[in-house]
């Protein structure tokens, strides 16, 4: 027959073993989450690098596009002046402006430049 003291030691040993199992389980969960988090952080850093590169490329393209749109506006104004002069001269001479060589093409180019400026739907990255 076991003494009360022996039964108390047995009970304490069982409690200690259960406690150690719980600690081992938590330690395993901690290692698993650290590993998973490290993997996710690496993926996020890689994604962030790609996004930064894309942003820089977009900003560069935006700056280039903005410059081209300014050039298009300037060119359209110059063409408009030429069209006005040709129409005035043609009227003074009593001929149609469209009979002047290249006039129709010039009008078409002006309309195309105007359309490209209107249709530009890109938003500023800034």
């Amino acid at each position: 027959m076991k003494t009360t003291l022996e039964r108390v030691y047995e009970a304490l040993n069982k409690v200690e073993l259960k406690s150690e199992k719980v600690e081992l389980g938590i330690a395993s969960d901690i290692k698993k989450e650290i590993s998973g988090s490290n993997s996710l952080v690496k993926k996020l850093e890689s994604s962030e690098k790609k996004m930064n590169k894309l942003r820089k490329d977009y900003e560069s393209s935006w700056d280039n596009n903005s410059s081209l749109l300014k050039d298009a506006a300037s060119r359209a104004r110059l063409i408009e002046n030429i069209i006005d002069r040709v129409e005035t001269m043609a009227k003074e001479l009593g001929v149609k402006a469209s009979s002047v060589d290249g006039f129709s093409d010039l009008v078409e180019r002006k309309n195309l430049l105007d359309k490209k400026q209107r249709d530009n739907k890109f938003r500023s990255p800034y």
Side-chain angles (χ1 to χ4, degrees):
M1 180 152 254
K2 294 184 182 179
T3 65
T4 305
L5 188 58
E6 288 175 331
R7 280 186 268 161
V8 169
Y9 281 136
E10 261 183 38
L12 282 176
N13 280 338
K14 287 180 184 177
V15 170
E16 286 179 13
L17 288 175
K18 287 181 184 177
S19 167
E20 288 174 13
K21 284 183 184 178
V22 169
E23 287 177 16
L24 287 175
I26 290 174
S28 174
D29 289 347
I30 289 171
K31 286 180 183 178
K32 178 180 162 189
E33 290 308 315
I34 287 172
S35 174
S37 296
N38 285 340
S39 175
L40 185 57
V41 165
K42 286 179 184 177
K43 288 177 184 177
L44 285 167
E45 287 171 346
S46 174
S47 177
E48 185 178 15
K49 284 180 185 176
K50 289 177 186 175
M51 294 297 290
N52 281 332
K53 183 183 180 329
L54 289 171
R55 181 184 48 80
K56 287 177 185 176
D57 289 347
Y58 186 78
E59 286 173 355
S60 175
S61 295
W62 173 265
D63 291 342
N64 185 50
N65 190 54
S66 294
S67 176
L68 290 171
L69 287 171
K70 286 177 186 173
D71 291 348
S74 177
R75 180 67 52 101
R77 283 191 300 275
L78 290 173
I79 291 172
E80 184 66 34
N81 288 336
I82 293 171
I83 289 170
D84 289 345
R85 288 189 356 230
V86 169
E87 287 174 339
T88 300
M89 288 179 190
K91 187 175 181 179
E92 288 173 1
L93 296 172
V95 296
K96 291 183 177 182
S98 59
S99 67
V100 175
D101 190 34
F103 181 79
S104 296
D105 262 352
L106 190 63
V107 170
E108 188 177 317
R109 293 295 163 252
K110 164 129 180 4
N111 291 338
L112 186 58
L113 287 171
D114 289 343
K115 181 180 182 336
K116 289 295 180 186
Q117 290 175 81
R118 274 191 320 270
D119 293 350
N120 188 3
K121 294 178 175 68
F122 295 102
R123 300 199 185 275
S124 172
Y126 304 108

